[in-house]
Amino acid sequence: MSKKRFSTLAVSEGEEPTWEGVGDAVSPIHLASTFALPELDPDMSLEELDPDSGDYVYSRLSNPTRNALEHRLAALEGGEHAFAFSSGTSAISSLALAVVTPGDHIVAFEDLYGGTRRLLEDLFDERLDVEVTFVDATDPDNVADAMRPETEFVWMETPTNPLMQLCDIEAIAEVVGDDAVFGVDNTFSSPYFQQPLELGADVVAHSTTKYINGHSDSVGGAVITDDDDLAEQIEFLQQVGLGDMLPPFDSYMVMRGVKTLPVRMRQHEANAQVIAEYLEDHDLVTDVFYPGLESHPQHELASEQMSGYGGILSFELDGDMSDARAFLESLEVFTLAVSLGGVESLIELPAGMTHEPLDPEEREARGITDSLIRISVGIEDIDDLVEDLDRGFEAMETERSAVAGDD
Ligand code: PLP
């Protein structure tokens, strides 16, 4: 078979039209928890079952729908092995558990998704005796300085949430070398815009809840790697150690959602670029954080390591939390909600929503102010999106005049 390109793999990798002799053009949903065996084989080893050859016994171990999805995700990230979990959080947690043991050390980007930061601090550092050092990984030298002989895992996100900071995957891969496992959370870019394994990472994780599924109707996660030994550990945790895997129905949803990943990502990005430029020119905005803007301090790095700048951006209103509230509550097209990566535009106030659990001092230190707004730009008509933001700014001005007693 000839080697297929990304958009073709997104549509067809893992589909087996001849399955079950009825020629389904898309993989059916196999809901069975257990599978009839053709014969009694007392020597059957559960560890040596090969789902690709039709060896199905029990759905926690392997399931045809999940197996099809895992093949597709591996192909899209350019890896050999993929494992689908019941959330992005469980994917990242299982991956870390597959790598470290008590007494080990982890180096992680300080600007991580809040949930990942919490699991590293509260589960690994506090309970499992795995010390975690958070660094400003925008400079790879800081990663190098934090490495110790007992460092086994280096964990990065790029771009980060919500300030869209980048780290240089190739440079950090060089710093880490063979001393530790280097993993990247590729949720924000999706494999369509960024391929960390090709840039030297050992393993990639996703919250498939976001762009990969793309329709805000399934929670899931995935880990993808080329490393056979690491894959064996992850497989053990997914199927035996934790028994945490993506159920068949969600596997089907993600198989279906990911087919349109390339077209969605192109539209997300096109809309995000227009909105970023619109906000950059607006008098009521003091800062815009989007790697596609030339004003982004790491625009050059973004152009080198990403093939597109993605659909997430954040901006600083020239105002306070009550201005932000007036702005957000007046919107008609954007939905005020956490999460990201769906076809619909979502908007949120990190200080009061996604990043509210952080201490106010920590938020301030990280630049997450009370007037910082994050947008996950959807694929709607761009004119409706811009008109909606106009509405938000008008509401903010009306609120200000009311407070000042102008009307
Ligand atoms: N990684 C990133 C970058 C995220 O934004 C999120 C969730 O927002 C997660 C991981 C966790 O994923 P999930 O909510 O599917 O557990």
Side-chain angles (χ1 to χ4, degrees):
M1 281 269 253
S2 60
K3 193 170 170 350
K4 302 293 186 297
R5 294 165 183 81
F6 194 98
S7 297
T8 310
L9 295 171
V11 170
S12 59
E13 180 68 16
E15 306 286 5
E16 292 284 349
T18 53
W19 276 11
E20 300 172 0
V22 291
D24 295 77
V26 293
S27 300
I29 310 176
H30 290 263
L31 291 171
S33 58
T34 189
F35 301 90
L37 302 175
E39 59 186 5
L40 176 67
D41 176 2
D43 298 326
M44 181 177 74
S45 157
L46 288 183
E47 268 150 41
E48 280 164 25
L49 299 173
D50 177 16
D52 291 338
S53 312
D55 290 347
Y56 290 102
V57 172
Y58 186 61
S59 265
R60 170 162 50 73
L61 304 176
S62 54
N63 171 280
T65 316
R66 189 173 90 232
N67 190 43
L69 171 67
E70 290 173 339
H71 275 291
R72 184 168 304 171
L73 296 180
L76 295 181
E77 275 293 353
E80 272 295 310
H81 313 274
F83 302 91
F85 290 86
S86 64
S87 69
T89 303
S90 64
I92 294 166
S93 203
S94 305
L95 166 59
L97 280 173
V99 176
V100 296
T101 51
D104 288 346
H105 174 241
I106 296 176
V107 177
F109 202 158
E110 63 186 4
D111 199 10
L112 287 182
Y113 165 62
T116 306
R117 203 176 153 119
R118 272 199 66 196
L119 79 85
L120 290 178
E121 282 174 336
D122 297 355
L123 178 60
F124 284 85
D125 206 326
E126 270 188 30
R127 294 193 192 187
L128 300 179
D129 188 28
V130 178
E131 203 182 322
V132 185
T133 305
F134 293 100
V135 297
D136 173 359
T138 57
D139 181 350
D141 286 347
N142 293 335
V143 177
D145 291 346
M147 297 284 291
R148 301 179 194 163
E150 64 274 22
T151 306
E152 291 294 337
F153 191 39
V154 174
W155 184 242
M156 296 288 140
E157 266 175 39
T158 179
T160 61
N161 178 9
L163 289 169
M164 307 304 291
Q165 299 193 77
L166 273 65
C167 63
D168 185 332
I169 298 174
E170 221 164 2
I172 294 175
E174 214 152 286
V175 162
V176 176
D178 292 332
D179 295 338
V181 170
F182 171 32
V184 174
D185 182 329
N186 203 23
T187 299
F188 263 43
S189 296
S190 90
Y192 186 63
F193 281 150
Q194 185 167 270
Q195 298 263 298
L197 296 181
E198 204 177 293
L199 293 166
D202 299 306
V203 59
V204 167
H206 279 279
S207 166
T208 59
T209 317
K210 313 296 194 281
Y211 285 115
I212 288 191
N213 180 56
H215 295 75
S216 305
D217 54 7
S218 161
V219 173
V223 176
I224 300 111
T225 184
D226 269 338
D227 182 326
D228 296 342
D229 294 336
L230 179 59
E232 210 172 290
Q233 296 303 317
I234 299 166
E235 182 178 289
F236 166 76
L237 280 161
Q238 181 202 38
Q239 297 169 17
V240 181
L242 299 171
D244 178 87
M245 69 295 159
L246 194 66
F249 187 77
D250 284 278
S251 297
Y252 172 81
M253 295 289 278
V254 180
M255 279 284 273
R256 178 178 150 119
V258 79
K259 283 176 195 269
T260 53
L261 181 70
V263 269
R264 282 189 281 110
M265 291 312 294
R266 288 197 290 268
Q267 194 59 41
H268 284 299
E269 186 194 30
N271 283 355
Q273 186 72 36
V274 173
I275 289 178
E277 288 171 14
Y278 157 87
L279 291 169
E280 201 170 37
D281 283 345
H282 206 288
D283 291 344
L284 292 174
V285 173
T286 54
D287 238 327
V288 183
F289 306 95
Y290 182 62
L293 289 175
E294 278 176 26
S295 58
H296 188 286
Q298 294 167 298
H299 177 66
E300 208 173 303
L301 172 61
S303 307
E304 279 165 24
Q305 81 178 6
M306 302 164 77
S307 57
Y309 305 108
I312 318 276
L313 58 88
S314 56
F315 65 100
E316 189 71 58
L317 275 181
D318 185 9
D320 55 20
M321 178 101 62
S322 70
D323 292 311
R325 170 174 291 165
F327 180 93
L328 292 168
E329 290 182 350
S330 70
L331 302 178
E332 293 174 8
V333 182
F334 286 85
T335 301
L336 180 64
V338 299
S339 200
L340 54 100
V343 288
E344 63 289 306
S345 290
L346 303 180
I347 195 159
E348 67 121 0
L349 187 78
M353 296 168 68
T354 46
H355 293 66
E356 191 277 333
L358 296 183
D359 290 338
E361 300 78 50
E362 194 180 336
R363 279 206 301 270
E364 197 185 319
R366 286 176 54 189
I368 302 171
T369 67
D370 286 353
S371 49
L372 181 78
I373 291 178
R374 186 191 78 187
I375 299 181
S376 170
V377 182
I379 64 168
E380 301 93 337
D381 190 302
I382 186 62
D383 292 339
D384 287 330
L385 294 176
V386 171
E387 260 173 46
D388 211 30
L389 295 174
D390 280 338
R391 195 169 3 254
F393 288 117
E394 271 165 36
M396 184 174 148
E397 283 186 313
T398 309
E399 159 89 5
R400 280 186 175 178
S401 315
V403 170
D406 296 355
D407 41 46

